[in-house]
């Protein structure tokens, strides 16, 4: 859509590999600095379009992964983060650099639900992986585990504030409802708890 969702054109699948039974990408992300540069994750791999979805090219080195989230920070639109289910967390520092997986020694989980780079500081990133939340302040070279999330069942989805609200982060958890942070994910408060089955 070029009119804020009033009308749509498509399907835009030229060059894209899609699952025969599920004709849809699992995740789509648009570059902050160029609305015609789009990434799409399918069961056949990661694809990039420089033409707003007109044609797609398979991204070399990233195939047969289940992509859960693609995200970048407006503070550094060139760096993109990717969380996957079964293949760990990946990052690419710029369009001309290859994708690299964050080593298991740095982030010890093959399964990640979400990734959220800080909109004001691209070196800071939060990752929901397994039953934990992990935080990096050095661009992913190291990660620290947030022990508060073990009881919450991990962060399944993260939403980060923008503009004047960059300090606010929301986390949807598996066992404890929604948590909110007013300091970019350093401390958290519980907003709602889901009803638990007593059995």
């Amino acid at each position: 859509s070029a009119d804020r969702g009033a009308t749509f054109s498509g399907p835009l699948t030229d060059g894209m590999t899609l699952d025969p039974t599920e004709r849809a990408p699992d995740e789509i992300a648009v570059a902050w600095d160029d609305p015609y540069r789009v990434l799409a994750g399918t069961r056949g791999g990661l694809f990039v379009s420089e033409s707003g979805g007109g044609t797609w090219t398979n991204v070399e080195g990233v195939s047969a992964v289940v992509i859960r989230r693609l995200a970048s920070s407006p503070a550094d639109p060139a760096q993109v983060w990717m969380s996957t289910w079964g293949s760990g967390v990946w990052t690419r520092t710029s369009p001309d650099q290859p994708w690299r997986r964050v080593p298991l020694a740095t982030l010890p989980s093959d399964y990640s639900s979400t990734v959220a780079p800080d909109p004001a500081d691209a070196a800071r990133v939060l990752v929901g992986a397994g039953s934990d939340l992990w935080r990096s302040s050095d661009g992913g070279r190291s990660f620290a585990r947030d022990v508060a999330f073990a009881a919450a069942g991990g962060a399944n989805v993260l939403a980060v504030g923008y503009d004047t609200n960059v300090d606010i982060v929301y986390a949807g958890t598996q066992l404890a409802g929604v948590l909110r942070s007013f300091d970019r994910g350093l401390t958290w408060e519980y907003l709602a708890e889901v009803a638990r089955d007593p059995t």
Side-chain angles (χ1 to χ4, degrees):
S1 175
D3 53 14
R4 298 184 181 186
T7 61
F8 284 87
S9 62
L12 307 173
T13 58
D14 184 19
M16 182 183 287
T17 303
L18 295 172
D19 187 308
T21 58
E22 295 181 27
R23 307 285 298 165
D26 294 315
E27 178 66 16
I28 298 174
V30 179
W32 286 100
D33 56 349
D34 182 355
Y36 290 96
R37 187 182 312 124
V38 185
L39 285 170
T42 78
R43 301 298 167 101
L46 183 64
F47 294 83
V48 62
S49 175
E50 302 288 345
S51 59
T55 58
W56 297 90
T57 305
N58 189 249
V59 174
E60 204 172 305
V62 184
S63 61
V65 297
V66 179
I67 298 169
R68 297 296 299 267
R69 181 82 170 108
L70 292 162
S72 64
S73 169
D76 183 6
Q79 182 167 15
V80 181
W81 289 89
M82 176 173 62
S83 66
T84 73
W85 197 249
S87 301
V89 175
W90 296 61
T91 188
R92 184 209 64 196
T93 55
S94 67
D96 60 341
Q97 294 296 312
W99 284 86
R100 67 169 182 83
R101 181 179 172 169
V102 176
L104 277 173
T106 304
L107 184 60
S109 180
D110 284 327
Y111 296 89
S112 60
S113 300
T114 188
V115 60
D118 190 309
D121 181 356
R124 293 173 42 91
V125 63
L126 298 172
V127 173
S131 60
D132 296 308
L133 179 77
W134 296 84
R135 180 185 306 106
S136 176
S137 59
D138 57 10
R141 290 187 297 278
S142 65
F143 280 86
R145 179 175 171 258
D146 189 324
V147 294
F149 270 80
N156 293 334
V157 62
L158 293 162
V160 182
Y162 294 99
D163 297 329
T164 59
N165 299 311
V166 295
D167 293 337
I168 300 175
V169 183
Y170 293 91
T173 70
Q174 185 171 354
L175 302 175
V178 178
L179 277 68
R180 178 175 56 196
S181 172
F182 286 107
D183 54 14
R184 298 186 187 184
L186 294 177
T187 61
W188 298 88
E189 65 178 11
Y190 287 82
L191 293 182
E193 289 198 56
V194 295
R196 293 190 176 95
D197 184 346
T199 60

